[in-house]
Structure formats: structure tokens, C-alpha cells
Amino acid sequence: MHTIEIPDKDIHIEIPSHWDECTSDQIESLLQSAYKTLSGKQPLINALVHNFCLFTDLKPTVNYSVKNKKGYAEEINEQIAILSKSLCSWPFKTEEPLEINYDTVINHFKAINSDGTKLFGPEDLLTNITYGEFRWSIDYMNDYFKAITDKDSEAAKFALHSFLTCLYRPNQLGKRSKFNTDDIPELAMHFDHIPEYIKQTILLWFTYCISIIKTVPLTIHGSEIDFSVLFPDSTELQEDSSVKQKPSLGWHGLLYDIAEKGIFGNLEQSDNTNLFTILVYLVKKKHEDDEANRQIQAAQRKHR
């Protein structure tokens, strides 16, 4: 949090400095304004001033409105602009091109409404998604980025909505309905009624969660586990970026490898296993394979 204090007027205002310090209403307002800027509908400074006014509850008085209309409020406007740039720029990345800096693993959209239907998404850092939800999400996300590159708007829309269907579904018996690829076309239509800024934010959140899983050791059941060994190429999400190292079969191929060993049951049971359970197993297997290779190499050197 940033703090603004004006002792003479007994004013003490705390301004969020990160998404996780904001209320739900503030987050939605920030994102709506941010995407308005990205789409070219307003200048960046307007978004920053909007953020400042949102956090401080600053509203124009009649006196200010009169002065501003007559051109006498330049000094006030300049001070507000300086404070806005200094304290409220964090929702955007500093480098060009202008992008939203949605750096949070907290899912601030755990439930979204679609034309009367409530759709429920994953917990923070994707902790409750299955391996199947993960691998299909990755596939559709990559399809989306490819369609954007190809400037194919229809393919992009289909891929984005299919991606969202992997993560968000109606509630059944107190939890998200079971993921089934056959349901994707029907469920994807729900996202026609979801605002674009929410859909894009969920995509940003997902990619940030994956980047954290790939690069930051996480504590699982009391043990710190480094999943980076499963993602040797830290610059890309595409599964073919790891063809030289495990997971060498890609996420879809690995499912068959895991199911064949019967560690978590058959193909369907393995696909419905929690993502982190699968990842922990893969890390364990990777360490075992590496140790076996070291012993083989040591034995070979000994007999030279």
C-alpha cells in the first residue's frame, strides 16, 4: 500500500500498490479502464487519473468544475497527474508496447455470470485443476495466440472460449461440473455474454500462474518442489519447446505414458488427477532418471 497523509487536514489515505490489495469492485474498474486504454479509446494518463480518483474517492467539486472550464485549474490538474503517474501506474507494464501487468496468482474471478448462468473457475494458482483441464487449456491457449498472429478473429474467438471452458463451468453438487471435451462447443457459447476484459484477464492470470509454476519453487505438502526441471525452456509455453528434455512427449503424450504405468489408474483416471499431483510425480521421476543416468555415466568412466 502507498500512503498519502495531509496532517493539517487530518487526511490519511491508503492507495493499493498491487491487485491483491484491491477490492473486487476496484479490480473491475481498473481493468475496464485499462482495456479502454489498450483499445485506444482513451489516453494512458486518463486511466492513471481514473485509478487515482478511484483509490482516493476524489470527486470534482462545483468550484473545481467552474475553474477547470475556465482554464484556471491547470495547477491542480498537473498535481493530480503527477500523483497519478507516481502512485497508480502499477496496473501497466513499464516497457513498450503498453500491456497490463496482471501479476497475481489469486483468482479474482472465481465466479462469473453469463446471462443468468453462474460459471465457477479454479482456485488460486490453479491448485484444484486436473491434468486434463491443464493440458487442454494449454492447447487452446496456444491456438488462440496463433489465431491472433494470423489475424483470424473467428478462430481466436473459438480458441479463447474453448480455453475458458476448460477452466470455467457451472456448479454441480457444490463444485465445478466435470470437464469433458465433448461439452466444449455448448459450454463455449456461455462466454459470448462475458465482457471481453474479464476473458482477457483470466487468460493473463492463467499465463502468470504457469510462469510461477515454471520458475518459482512451491511448497507442496510441506516440501519445497522446483518444477522448473519440467520446463527447460522458460521463454515459451508451447509443448514443443521441451522436445529435448522431459516432458519429451508433450502434455498429451505424457498422459499415455503415465496411464500405461498405472500410477494414478487408467487413462481417464490419470486425466482427472490433480495437476500438482501429476507434476510432483514427474519431478520425482525426473530426479530418479537423472540419478540413474549419473550412475551409468560414473560406471562407464570407471571402466575406461
Side-chain angles (χ1 to χ4, degrees), residues 243-295:
V243 291
K244 294 183 180 179
Q245 303 182 48
K246 291 234 179 228
S248 58
L249 300 176
W251 297 114
H252 291 285
L254 270 174
L255 172 66
Y256 292 93
D257 190 35
I258 294 168
E260 184 178 10
K261 292 179 173 62
I263 305 297
F264 305 104
N266 60 25
L267 199 68
E268 182 179 356
Q269 291 168 328
S270 298
D271 218 16
N272 287 323
T273 300
N274 179 273
L275 169 64
F276 283 93
T277 300
I278 297 289
L279 293 181
V280 168
Y281 164 75
L282 292 175
V283 169
K284 177 178 177 292
K285 189 70 170 61
K286 177 74 165 59
H287 290 326
E288 290 174 350
D289 291 346
D290 289 347
E291 180 58 29
N293 289 334
R294 279 194 290 269
Q295 292 180 9

Side-chain angles (χ1 to χ4, degrees), residues 130-148:
T130 65
Y131 185 70
E133 290 169 327
F134 168 75
R135 65 189 183 90
W136 282 102
S137 295
I138 291 288
D139 263 15
Y140 283 120
M141 180 188 67
N142 289 334
D143 288 346
Y144 171 74
F145 288 134
K146 182 180 184 303
I148 290 296

Side-chain angles (χ1 to χ4, degrees), residues 14 74 93 96 116 126 129 141 193 204 225 240 242 276:
E14 288 192 335
E74 287 86 352
K93 292 184 178 180
E96 294 292 338
L126 304 168
I129 72 168
M141 180 188 67
H193 308 288
L204 288 177
I225 300 177
D240 62 359
S242 55
F276 283 93

Side-chain angles (χ1 to χ4, degrees), residues 33-239:
S33 181
Y35 280 107
K36 188 176 177 181
T37 299
L38 292 185
S39 64
K41 296 179 180 177
Q42 71 175 359
L44 174 59
I45 187 59
N46 287 29
L48 303 186
V49 171
H50 165 272
N51 297 349
F52 183 77
C53 294
L54 175 69
F55 294 143
T56 60
D57 199 27
L58 181 65
K59 294 180 174 63
T61 64
V62 174
N63 187 39
Y64 165 80
S65 299
V66 172
K67 285 185 177 181
N68 191 47
K69 189 173 182 180
K70 293 182 177 181
Y72 299 149
E74 287 86 352
E75 185 176 346
I76 296 175
N77 291 338
E78 184 178 348
Q79 290 176 348
I80 292 175
I82 291 172
L83 287 171
S84 300
K85 289 178 182 178
S86 174
L87 301 175
C88 302
S89 295
W90 56 262
F92 296 94
K93 292 184 178 180
T94 55
E95 66 272 11
E96 294 292 338
L98 187 65
E99 293 180 3
I100 294 175
N101 183 36
Y102 200 69
D103 56 342
T104 176
V105 299
I106 304 298
N107 186 2
H108 292 288
F109 293 94
K110 284 189 173 70
I112 53 180
N113 288 302
S114 169
D115 196 29
T117 300
K118 202 166 189 178
L119 305 174
F120 296 85
E123 294 298 321
D124 304 337
L125 194 59
L126 304 168
T127 51
N128 67 332
I129 72 168
T130 65
Y131 185 70
E133 290 169 327
F134 168 75
R135 65 189 183 90
W136 282 102
S137 295
I138 291 288
D139 263 15
Y140 283 120
M141 180 188 67
N142 289 334
D143 288 346
Y144 171 74
F145 288 134
K146 182 180 184 303
I148 290 296
T149 300
D150 295 341
K151 298 181 179 180
D152 188 337
S153 59
E154 283 302 313
K157 177 183 175 181
F158 173 78
L160 179 60
H161 289 190
S162 298
F163 160 80
L164 292 165
T165 299
C166 296
L167 302 175
Y168 282 80
R169 293 183 299 282
N171 185 305
Q172 288 184 355
L173 302 177
K175 59 182 180 180
R176 285 180 304 154
S177 60
K178 188 175 179 181
F179 174 64
N180 188 327
T181 54
D182 293 336
D183 297 333
I184 288 178
E186 180 181 351
L187 290 174
M189 292 188 293
H190 283 299
F191 294 94
D192 288 334
H193 308 288
I194 302 295
E196 191 66 25
Y197 77 90
I198 292 180
K199 293 186 285 191
Q200 292 297 327
T201 300
I202 293 170
L203 179 63
L204 288 177
W205 171 74
F206 180 84
T207 58
Y208 186 75
C209 287
I210 297 301
S211 73
I212 292 298
I213 293 170
K214 291 171 61 178
T215 59
V216 179
L218 302 174
T219 300
I220 307 291
H221 300 308
S223 299
E224 189 175 85
I225 300 177
D226 183 2
F227 293 112
S228 65
V229 296
L230 302 177
F231 305 92
D233 184 351
S234 61
T235 62
E236 297 182 12
L237 286 173
Q238 285 83 353
E239 62 183 42

